[in-house]
Amino acid sequence: MKWGLLTGLMVIISAVAFVGCSNSGKALQENFKFRHKIVAYGVMDPQISAQQIIAEKKGYFREEGLEVENRLVQSGGEIPALIKSGEAQVSFESPYTVMTLVSEGVKVKVVAPMADIGDTQCVVARADSGIVNSKDLEDKRIGMADGSGILLAIRNMCYELKVDMDRITFVSLSPRDQLQAMEAGTIDAMACWEPWVSNAQAMGGTLLFSGLQSYLGDRQGEVDWLSFYTTMQVTDDYLHKHTEDIEAMLRALDKATVFINENPEEAADIIAMELKLEKDQVRRIMAKNHYSMAIDKHFRSACEETSSFMLKMGQLHDVPIFWDYVNIDYLRATNRSLVMIK
């Protein structure tokens, strides 16, 4: 009888344990149930897409219950058309792109900065171009992708050093085509970003200046020609329909930003592997960027300087109000400390 009671008790305990495990497993599955699949467009460089790559590879998106597919294109110049077509509802690029789209009536908002990348936006001269000083750029041909923020650095350089910008010929070329044109000698310099800048230097090109540093013969040292941000932007329609998803995505990107700043070498190695670049090259590039999702006075000032420049260049009909293309509500709901303006 004792053995019978003991056996019965064990059966009951086992049954309860089985039900408990089943319920626990079901709860675990529910906790990791994806809200929606998000397709996030970005660019194949460590400036624009560092956080989205890290968030995927380190599992931060998954921790937030998200299934995110990163689609990386070659150049940021490809992103505007993807947003306009409705294909890129969530993307990573810059306020330059968003301001242009908003002026055309496209409903899209920046929801967070990713990095200040002014020091990786550069002008590189061909080895035998004869360009040493700023004035040497006059009557030269510079390759540049349409919509590149580096144009603002060139304009500020010209203004400070009295270079006639109207005497510079700009040739519309993708980053890859710029390298080929440099090698062929059909352009004298290229205005681009990393990793294309490093690639151009590896071909014998000479770094002339970035947005924050000048190496010109007549102007060397720190400059303030371009403070340029990369950002995450989302279409208004997607924001309204998927508020929780966007906030979850921002939490994951916040974790990625912390990881990059606390583990720069490991982060660079992960990104190098994803982009199929040399680890040392990516480490050097990322060391020049300031990764931060803070919406502060500096970010706003940089955006407003960019919009004023775009107006002068005829790229905008009027200067957009900051709040027309930036929405701080989602970041504030995610991490209030990152929003430092009212």
Side-chain angles (χ1 to χ4, degrees):
M1 184 177 292
K2 289 181 180 179
W3 281 108
L5 290 172
L6 181 60
T7 302
L9 183 60
M10 291 176 68
V11 169
I12 292 171
I13 292 171
S14 297
V16 171
F18 177 77
V19 172
C21 287
S22 298
N23 289 336
S24 175
K26 184 178 180 181
L28 190 64
Q29 287 180 342
E30 288 177 352
N31 287 338
F32 281 91
K33 185 178 180 181
F34 296 129
R35 292 185 176 91
H36 296 95
K37 180 176 179 179
I38 300 175
V39 177
Y41 281 83
V43 182
M44 297 181 66
D45 72 53
Q47 286 74 251
I48 293 175
S49 294
Q51 283 102 321
Q52 71 179 118
I53 292 171
I54 292 296
E56 179 194 0
K57 298 304 178 184
K58 295 295 293 183
Y60 298 145
F61 286 141
R62 190 178 182 86
E63 286 176 7
E64 295 296 334
L66 297 174
E67 181 183 11
V68 177
E69 177 189 342
N70 287 331
R71 294 185 185 174
L72 306 182
V73 299
Q74 182 194 140
S75 169
E78 299 176 44
I79 297 293
L82 293 168
I83 295 175
K84 287 176 70 173
S85 70
E87 185 173 347
Q89 295 176 307
V90 179
S91 61
F92 294 80
E93 222 283 307
S94 73
Y96 193 106
T97 287
V98 177
M99 283 184 275
T100 302
L101 293 172
V102 169
S103 72
E104 296 174 1
V106 179
K107 303 295 184 182
V108 60
K109 296 289 189 300
V110 169
V111 294
M114 292 290 115
D116 184 343
I117 61 169
D119 203 25
T120 54
Q121 310 299 296
C122 307
V123 175
V124 181
R126 197 181 72 242
D128 57 351
S129 67
I131 301 173
V132 176
N133 298 314
S134 58
K135 278 282 188 179
D136 297 332
L137 286 163
E138 293 180 353
D139 303 320
K140 295 295 193 298
R141 293 166 60 85
I142 298 180
M144 184 175 65
D146 293 335
S148 297
I150 184 61
L151 183 61
L152 178 54
I154 296 172
R155 175 256 194 181
N156 286 335
M157 179 278 299
C158 289
Y159 180 79
E160 180 179 324
L161 302 180
K162 306 296 187 294
V163 176
D164 187 351
M165 190 169 172
D166 291 335
R167 290 179 59 182
I168 300 174
T169 300
F170 293 96
V171 183
S172 177
L173 294 169
S174 70
R176 181 173 286 112
D177 290 340
Q178 289 178 44
L179 287 178
Q180 293 175 351
M182 285 263 284
E183 192 170 22
T186 55
I187 60 173
D188 303 293
M190 58 184 278
C192 205
W193 53 87
E194 292 286 8
W196 306 100
V197 171
S198 295
N199 294 339
Q201 289 178 277
M203 292 168 46
T206 300
L207 179 60
L208 298 178
F209 60 88
S210 72
L212 302 178
Q213 292 282 337
S214 177
Y215 308 94
L216 291 162
D218 55 340
R219 180 66 168 92
Q220 298 195 4
E222 292 186 5
V223 294
D224 188 21
W225 292 340
L226 176 67
S227 188
F228 193 70
Y229 280 83
T230 54
T231 53
M232 173 184 171
Q233 47 275 332
V234 186
T235 61
D236 285 14
D237 183 59
Y238 197 89
L239 275 174
H240 297 149
K241 291 180 180 178
H242 303 286
T243 297
E244 291 184 1
D245 290 348
I246 295 304
E247 290 177 356
M249 195 168 180
L250 287 170
R251 286 194 296 271
L253 293 166
D254 190 13
K255 294 177 187 177
T257 304
V258 171
F259 180 83
I260 288 171
N261 289 320
E262 292 184 350
N263 307 277
E265 290 194 2
E266 185 180 351
D269 291 349
I270 292 170
I271 292 168
M273 185 173 296
E274 178 68 10
L275 300 181
K276 296 178 175 57
L277 298 171
E278 293 293 329
K279 291 180 180 179
D280 289 343
Q281 180 189 26
V282 176
R283 288 178 182 178
R284 288 194 301 271
I285 293 169
M286 293 184 68
K288 294 181 178 182
N289 297 322
H290 176 57
Y291 295 94
S292 171
M293 291 173 64
I295 296 181
D296 55 15
K297 290 181 180 178
H298 188 267
F299 171 68
R300 180 170 182 170
S301 175
C303 289
E304 291 177 342
E305 182 187 8
T306 298
S307 64
S308 295
F309 169 70
M310 293 171 72
L311 179 67
K312 291 177 182 177
M313 297 298 293
Q315 296 168 324
L316 297 174
H317 296 299
D318 52 33
V319 176
I321 298 171
F322 182 74
W323 304 111
D324 286 344
Y325 57 90
V326 176
N327 188 317
I328 64 175
D329 295 339
Y330 300 88
L331 187 62
R332 184 164 52 193
T334 300
N335 185 343
R336 182 172 289 271
S337 68
L338 291 174
V339 179
M340 303 177 189
I341 58 174
K342 295 181 180 180

